[in-house]
Amino acid sequence: MKASQVLSRIGDKWSVLVIMLLRDRSRRFSELKRGIDGISQRMLTLTLRNLERDGLVIRTVTPSIPPRVDYELTEMGHSLAEPVQALGAWAFRHLAQIDAAQARYDAQLGVS
């Protein structure tokens, strides 16, 4: 695997949001779905599978009726959570500035 492939995976917006939600504790699928605005069930499933395949997330099935499935970060996933959290915090801090810059840019181009 190339570094660009790894960065593409961990830089994916859904992966970043999943990692941010799992940094403090394990969560069930439904908790993750409720915590990530706009993600479809299919996309969340694919994102979790990819993160599990990459060794960043552990999926634990507890036999019950219905079966309970929890997701948590691995040690490597936790090591990624800190820089991902910093990136997320930066994005939230600068949302207004980015919106303003985009509005100025669009106004110069006459885009509405």
Side-chain angles (χ1 to χ4, degrees):
M1 180 173 261
K2 296 177 183 177
S4 61
Q5 292 171 303
V6 173
L7 290 171
S8 176
R9 168 94 70 225
I10 63 174
D12 168 86
K13 74 177 178 179
W14 302 124
S15 295
V16 166
L17 293 170
V18 167
I19 290 166
M20 287 177 68
L21 279 175
L22 292 177
R23 74 185 183 281
D24 296 327
R25 64 179 177 88
S26 67
R27 295 184 189 263
R28 297 180 76 171
F29 185 91
S30 58
E31 287 181 275
L32 291 168
K33 176 97 171 65
R34 279 192 307 270
I36 302 173
D37 189 40
I39 193 168
S40 68
Q41 183 166 331
R42 182 179 186 289
M43 185 53 67
L44 180 55
T45 298
L46 289 172
T47 300
L48 288 165
R49 281 186 190 153
N50 286 329
L51 291 171
E52 185 179 10
R53 182 172 182 256
D54 292 343
L56 299 170
V57 168
I58 296 171
R59 178 180 184 266
T60 304
V61 179
T62 304
S64 61
I65 298 175
R68 178 184 172 111
V69 181
D70 291 282
Y71 296 89
E72 64 184 304
L73 293 178
T74 62
E75 186 177 329
M76 185 168 53
H78 277 288
S79 73
L80 177 60
E82 186 178 331
V84 164
Q85 174 63 27
L87 181 61
W90 179 90
F92 286 117
R93 262 193 327 272
H94 293 90
L95 279 175
Q97 290 173 281
I98 292 168
D99 284 343
Q102 289 176 349
R104 284 190 306 274
Y105 182 87
D106 291 348
Q108 288 175 346
L109 294 178
V111 177
S112 29

